[in-house]
Amino acid sequence: MREAGRISAHALRLVSASVAPGVSTAQLDRIAEEAIVACGATPAFKGYQGFPATICASINDELVHGLPSENRILVEGDIITIDVGAIYQGYVGDNADTFAVGAIDPLSQKLIDVTRAGLYAGIEQCIDGNRLGDVGAAIGAVARGEGLGIVKEYTGHGIGARMHEDPSIPNWGTRKTGPRLRTGMVLALEPMFSLGGDRVERLGDGWTVVMSDGARCAQIEHTVAITEEGPEILTIDTPT
């Protein structure tokens, strides 16, 4: 799982380096697929429940599952969430980040920064003996403290030999409630915050999920292992 996570992070880093005005999301998709295959892995999303691409490319008010296209061209001031995963020797890594396309407005930058802070607040709670509610409570407190919306219809998840495993990991919760966390568990934490409300809807393409109020949103994700030494982020692009 460390290697699956590393490959996923490597692909995301290469994609992020190409995020710029004038680039199509299809170009970003090709970069990710080539990077994953070159590492001897398989794109985790492509074909998963029929999804047609290697990355999810979600722009501005698109929350998750945006479909890459030659016709989706990035524009100065956009924000884009890229979600990508890889399967290596039967195990899955999964990560996402939200990136600025050129210069962005201060509120969009705040959205990205706070979503990242929420992720790391949740990661800090991934300790043997804590409860799942401790993770969600820590994430949610960051969003509420900054006045951001918390999407409730989509959550993080366990991950291992399958992309989505139990438990579901809400980005809100009550401390000292829920299942106990134990060493050896691996979780995909993915805060999803918005500059508006929490309601979402699916577009006619059957995949893209957008904020109902049109507000910008962000999703940032790491795959995290619970170890005896504390939380270990697996989706880090480190040399092999």
Side-chain angles (χ1 to χ4, degrees), residues 91-137:
Y91 289 92
V92 186
D94 187 9
N95 62 173
D97 209 337
T98 302
F99 304 103
V101 181
I104 60 174
D105 65 274
L107 269 181
S108 294
Q109 188 61 57
K110 173 185 174 180
L111 171 66
I112 294 171
D113 293 342
V114 174
T115 305
R116 180 167 288 105
L119 171 62
Y120 281 93
I123 290 172
E124 288 178 0
Q125 297 301 313
C126 292
I127 297 170
D128 184 280
N130 275 3
R131 293 190 179 273
L132 195 63
D134 296 323
V135 178

Side-chain angles (χ1 to χ4, degrees), residues 44-129:
F45 298 175
K46 195 169 188 178
Y48 182 72
Q49 297 181 352
F51 191 75
T54 294
I55 65 170
C56 299
S58 307
I59 301 172
N60 296 334
D61 65 333
E62 297 171 355
L63 178 70
V64 291
H65 307 159
L67 295 175
S69 169
E70 299 287 358
N71 298 321
R72 295 302 305 278
I73 308 298
L74 299 181
V75 175
E76 181 90 13
D78 283 343
I79 60 173
I80 180 171
T81 297
I82 304 293
D83 195 350
V84 61
I87 302 170
Y88 183 77
Q89 294 188 5
Y91 289 92
V92 186
D94 187 9
N95 62 173
D97 209 337
T98 302
F99 304 103
V101 181
I104 60 174
D105 65 274
L107 269 181
S108 294
Q109 188 61 57
K110 173 185 174 180
L111 171 66
I112 294 171
D113 293 342
V114 174
T115 305
R116 180 167 288 105
L119 171 62
Y120 281 93
I123 290 172
E124 288 178 0
Q125 297 301 313
C126 292
I127 297 170
D128 184 280

Side-chain angles (χ1 to χ4, degrees), residues 2-16 35 39 95 222 233-240:
R2 286 188 178 95
E3 186 63 7
R6 186 197 70 79
I7 294 168
S8 300
H10 174 67
L12 184 59
R13 180 179 64 81
L14 292 183
V15 169
S16 71
C39 291
N95 62 173
H222 271 309
I233 299 174
L234 302 186
T235 38
I236 297 291
D237 185 14
T238 55
T240 55

Side-chain angles (χ1 to χ4, degrees), residues 178-202:
R180 188 82 67 179
L181 303 181
R182 294 300 185 195
T183 295
M185 295 176 70
V186 184
L187 308 175
L189 273 58
E190 47 185 318
M192 301 178 199
F193 298 165
S194 84
L195 290 175
D198 61 1
R199 295 185 61 188
V200 299
E201 55 193 69
R202 192 183 306 274

